[in-house]
Amino acid sequence: MFLTVVLLVSPAFVSITEEIQRRRTFAIISHPDAGKTTLTEKLLLYGGAVQLAGSVTSRKNQRATTSDWMELEKKRGISISSTVLQFDYNGYRLNLLDTPGHKDFSEDTYRVLTAVDAVVMVIDSAKGIEPQTRKLFEVCRQRGVPIFTFMNKCDRPMKEPLALLDELERVLGIGAFPVNWPIGNGFEFRGVFDRQTKQMHLFERVVGGKYRAPVSVGSLNDPEVRGQLDDATFLKTVEELEMLEHAGEIFDDAAVLAGKSTPVFFGSGVNNFGVQLLLDGFLKHAPAPKSRVMGGIEISPANPEFSGFIFKIQANMDPKHRDRIAFVRVCSGKFDRDMTVFHSRSEKKVRLSSSHKLFGNERETVDEAFPGDVIGLVGHDSFGIGDTLTTDPKILYKEIPRFTPEAFSYLHNPNTGKYKQFRQGLDQLLQEGVIQALYLRNSSIKVPLLAAVGPLQFEVVQFRLESEYGAESRLEAAPWSVVRWLPTDIKEDEIDALSLPTGSKIAYDIGKNPVVLFSNDWSAEYFAKTNERVPLSAQPVQTARE
Ligand SMILES: Nc1nc2c(ncn2[C@@H]2O[C@H](COP(=O)(O)OP(=O)(O)OP(=O)(O)O)[C@@H](O)[C@H]2O)c(=O)[nH]1
Ligand SMILES: [Mg+2]
C-alpha cells in the first residue's frame, strides 16, 4: 500500500507543492500617505533584499524608494502605479505589491487585489481608519482575502491603541487581535511588547531609518530592559496588557484566513520599529496560494496545467528598454520559459520566451515560476489586461473588475509635427488601461475624448506622453461627469430615436459599444425615465472571451 502511494507521487509534483507552500503573495494597501511605500522599503531592508532603505544620496523631498520609480512619483512623493517586488526571506519566496492610495489610481490597486493571497493594511495611528482604507477593505472582504493590520506612525501622537482596535471592529466590522502592543506613544514611543513570546522589544532610532534599528529584547521583569523605560510608560503598558489578557481573546488562525479577524501589529515604518515582527508574524500566519473557482470549476494551484492571468500592463519601466511588460499572476502549474500557451483573447497559441522576475523597475530573466509568482512578459502586443494564459484552454479567469469613469477631458496635440509620438504614446496608455478613449457620434471632432476614474490620471497621461514619448499635450475640460453604456445590440435608428436630455451626447467606446454622456446624475436619471425600454449600465457588457 505504502509503495503504491510513493509511486503515484512523482518528484515533479512534490517539488511543485513545496514551491507553492513557500510562496507568499501580498499587497500593501491604505489611504494615501499612511506609509505603504515606506513600509515596503523597510520590509525589503529587513527581508535582506536591499542593504539601505532609500538612497543615501537622495535629497530632501526627493525620494528614492525602490517601489516609487516613476519620474512623477519621485517628484510628487506619492505612488501612482503599483509595483511588484519579488525576494526570498527565511526560505519563503515573497511577491510583494506596493499599491497607490489615491482614489484616482484605485483601478490599478483593485486589479492588484485580484492577484494576491493576503494584504497588509497600513493605518496612520494618529488618524485611524480613513475613507480609502475603508473602500479597499470592502473589496478585500468581498474577495475573502486575509488582512494583516500595521498601525503605523506610533512615533507621532497617536490615538489610544484600544480605541484603534475598537475602530477596526466598529467601522470595518472585523475582529482585531493585537499580536503586539505599543510601549509609549509619540515622542516617547520606545517599542512593542510581543504578546506571543511575552518579550519587550525596545528600539533605538537611527538617523533617517536607513539601517535596521538596534533592539534590546527582554521580558517585562528584565531589569536591563525595564531600566530603559520611565515608570509612567511601564505602568501604562502593564495595565493595558493585563486588560487584554483579561479579555481572554485567543489568536484564531481560521478566522484570520477567512478574513473575519485581523492580526494587529504596532510600529513605525520610518523608524524601523516593529517591522521585523510584522514580517515574521505575517509569514507565520499568511496563506500560501489557494485554489481559485472560475465558472464553477475549481483550479488548484497544484493542477499540472499551467495557468495565470494578466492584471497589469506597463510600458517604459526601464528607460534602457523601451518596451511593455504584461504582469502575470501564476495560478496553477509550473511556468517554464519558452513554453507555448493558449492566449484567451486571441484564441491563439503563443510562445512565452521573454519572461522576467521583477523588483521595482529592475528585471531579471526567469526560467521557471510557480503559483503565487508574479512574472513580467515582454514583447506581446496582443496581450491585454484580464487575459488568461494557460496550457489548458478550458481554464478562463475573469478576475479583473471594471470601473466607471467619472472624469472626462479632450486631449489636444498642440504640435502637429509630433503627431506620431502623440498617437503612439496615447495608444500605449490606452492599452495599459490608465484611461479610456471615447468617440463622439456624428462628430467631426478628431480630438480624443478621454475618460478616467479620476482627474489625476489625466495628469499622468500628460506627464508620461512628454517624458516617455516627447509629445506635448493640452487638456480641455469636457462638459460631462457621468457615462452609461447602452445595450450592445441597439440599432442605429433606435439610437436616433432616443430622447436625450439637454447637454447629453452619444459616443462609442474603444470596442465600438455605444454610450451616453451626461452632465450629471440627475440627467442620467431623467434619461432612464424618458427612455424606459432602454436599460443603461454603468459597465460595458463583457464579451465571452474577455
Ligand atoms: N512620523 C512618521 N512618518 C512616517 C512613517 N511612515 C511613513 N511616514 C511618512 O509619511 C509620508 C507618506 O509615506 P509614504 O510611504 O509615501 O505613504 P504611502 O502610503 O506610500 O502614500 P501613497 O502611495 O501616495 O498613497 C512620508 O513623508 C513618510 O516619510 C512613520 O512611521 N512615522
Ligand atoms: Mg506609496
Side-chain angles (χ1 to χ4, degrees):
M1 182 64 187
F2 178 64
L3 237 181
T4 339
V5 175
V6 171
L7 286 176
L8 281 176
V9 181
S10 75
F13 187 76
V14 171
S15 98
I16 183 172
T17 40
E18 274 172 13
E19 291 294 344
I20 294 165
Q21 285 315 313
R22 71 186 195 96
R23 294 293 188 286
R24 294 294 181 275
T25 303
F26 66 107
I28 305 201
I29 58 162
S30 80
H31 194 80
D33 266 358
K36 297 175 290 297
T37 301
T38 308
L39 178 64
T40 301
E41 199 71 12
K42 299 316 169 82
L43 289 172
L44 298 179
L45 176 70
Y46 278 87
V50 298
Q51 299 304 316
L52 278 180
S55 158
V56 216
T57 53
S58 73
R59 271 181 282 139
K60 235 189 158 139
N61 302 329
Q62 267 238 334
R63 302 187 323 147
T65 50
T66 315
S67 59
D68 280 350
W69 47 266
M70 271 165 94
E71 266 316 301
L72 192 54
E73 294 182 313
K74 286 195 225 157
K75 230 169 124 180
R76 302 264 305 243
I78 60 167
S79 304
I80 285 168
S81 175
S82 53
T83 303
V84 179
L85 300 134
Q86 190 185 72
F87 62 100
D88 288 335
Y89 172 72
N90 260 0
Y92 290 99
R93 171 143 305 170
L94 284 79
N95 288 274
L96 189 174
L97 289 102
D98 180 22
T99 65
H102 198 288
K103 71 172 178 28
D104 288 11
F105 309 129
S106 51
E107 202 162 9
D108 187 358
T109 302
Y110 283 40
R111 288 175 190 151
V112 163
L113 289 176
T114 65
V116 298
D117 304 312
V119 303
V120 171
M121 173 168 79
V122 182
I123 289 175
D124 180 333
S125 307
K127 297 188 172 149
I129 294 159
E130 297 175 88
Q132 194 60 15
T133 302
R134 207 163 146 174
K135 280 199 200 150
L136 292 165
F137 170 83
E138 270 314 318
V139 179
C140 296
R141 174 164 31 211
Q142 277 163 20
R143 298 187 59 85
V145 180
I147 297 161
F148 294 73
T149 303
F150 186 62
M151 293 291 181
N152 193 26
K153 305 198 185 182
C154 293
D155 60 314
R156 293 235 294 251
M158 61 185 274
K159 290 191 176 179
E160 280 299 325
L162 283 170
L164 287 166
L165 294 187
D166 184 53
E167 219 173 300
L168 282 174
E169 302 195 347
R170 217 167 14 86
V171 181
L172 301 183
I174 188 170
F177 183 89
V179 178
N180 60 31
W181 197 252
I183 305 170
N185 158 355
F187 206 67
E188 300 300 321
F189 178 55
R190 298 298 319 279
V192 292
F193 179 82
D194 182 338
R195 292 183 63 220
Q196 286 176 319
T197 58
K198 310 248 180 283
Q199 298 280 298
M200 288 203 278
H201 294 243
L202 298 184
F203 301 94
E204 282 169 44
R205 296 187 189 203
V206 278
V207 179
K210 293 198 177 74
Y211 301 92
R212 294 167 180 226
V215 55
S216 13
V217 182
S219 70
L220 271 179
N221 308 320
D222 186 331
E224 215 168 289
V225 179
R226 164 75 184 84
Q228 296 184 38
L229 295 175
D230 63 72
D231 285 347
T233 308
F234 180 75
L235 290 174
K236 181 169 185 279
T237 312
V238 171
E239 196 180 307
E240 286 171 343
L241 288 172
E242 274 171 6
M243 252 166 84
L244 291 176
E245 288 308 315
H246 197 68
E249 232 184 300
I250 47 159
F251 192 100
D252 181 352
D253 252 317
V256 171
L257 293 180
K260 295 201 169 87
S261 171
T262 178
V264 182
F265 300 80
F266 290 82
S268 164
V270 84
N271 291 297
N272 303 339
F273 287 20
V275 174
Q276 178 100 51
L277 288 167
L278 170 71
L279 181 58
D280 291 336
F282 172 81
L283 290 172
K284 198 165 151 197
H285 301 288
K290 283 189 311 211
S291 297
R292 286 180 181 243
V293 181
M294 285 294 136
I297 312 172
E298 183 173 334
I299 305 147
S300 153
N303 185 326
E305 299 285 358
F306 163 79
S307 72
F309 65 92
I310 298 169
F311 65 93
K312 178 182 169 78
I313 288 179
Q314 180 131 18
N316 309 323
M317 289 177 59
D318 183 345
K320 291 197 295 283
H321 309 271
R322 289 259 158 202
D323 52 17
R324 64 198 278 279
I325 296 192
F327 293 67
V328 179
R329 152 78 199 223
V330 179
C331 298
S332 74
K334 181 178 174 225
F335 169 85
D336 285 304
R337 188 155 69 89
D338 277 335
M339 77 192 299
T340 299
V341 299
F342 176 81
H343 170 225
S344 62
R345 183 181 303 254
S346 63
E347 303 195 354
K348 285 198 177 113
K349 287 194 166 168
V350 287
R351 199 172 131 218
L352 306 176
S353 48
S354 187
S355 46
H356 303 269
K357 71 179 240 182
L358 304 161
F359 192 79
N361 63 343
E362 291 167 27
R363 54 167 107 156
E364 204 178 283
T365 298
V366 69
D367 294 323
E368 53 177 35
F370 293 92
D373 283 341
V374 171
I375 53 171
L377 300 175
V378 174
H380 299 274
D381 286 348
S382 63
F383 286 3
I385 292 173
D387 296 1
T388 301
L389 300 172
T390 175
T391 48
D392 176 2
K394 287 197 291 299
I395 299 179
L396 180 66
Y397 294 103
K398 285 187 184 168
E399 293 274 20
I400 303 296
R402 295 246 187 151
F403 278 65
T404 312
E406 289 176 25
F408 302 86
S409 205
Y410 291 108
L411 191 74
H412 294 269
N413 169 22
N415 185 347
T416 41
K418 288 265 178 86
Y419 178 77
K420 217 176 116 206
Q421 288 88 329
F422 178 85
R423 198 61 241 186
Q424 192 193 0
L426 190 58
D427 284 344
Q428 176 54 46
L429 296 173
L430 285 171
Q431 218 174 10
E432 285 183 24
V434 175
I435 28 95
Q436 298 184 31
L438 299 172
Y439 303 90
L440 293 177
R441 185 172 188 250
N442 300 334
S443 166
S444 57
I445 303 177
K446 288 282 172 283
V447 181
L449 172 63
L450 304 186
V453 171
L456 268 183
Q457 287 290 49
F458 296 139
E459 209 179 301
V460 174
V461 167
Q462 287 198 286
F463 191 91
R464 288 189 58 190
L465 278 178
E466 175 103 44
S467 70
E468 294 167 22
Y469 298 89
E472 289 168 58
S473 60
R474 184 171 60 77
L475 277 182
E476 182 199 343
W480 306 289
S481 66
V482 178
V483 62
R484 293 287 177 266
W485 272 259
L486 287 164
T488 38
D489 56 0
I490 192 166
K491 309 233 165 33
E492 288 293 310
D493 54 342
E494 288 171 323
I495 295 180
D496 288 333
L498 292 174
S499 113
L500 288 180
T502 328
S504 340
K505 200 108 182 91
I506 303 283
Y508 296 92
D509 71 8
I510 208 149
K512 300 204 170 58
N513 301 307
V515 303
V516 193
L517 290 159
F518 298 103
S519 17
N520 48 39
D521 285 325
W522 182 85
S523 174
E525 281 160 26
Y526 183 77
F527 177 96
K529 270 190 222 133
T530 47
N531 300 273
E532 265 178 352
R533 275 185 290 159
V534 185
L536 291 178
S537 123
Q539 304 281 318
V541 177
Q542 298 203 357
T543 56
R545 273 278 158 203
E546 250 184 306

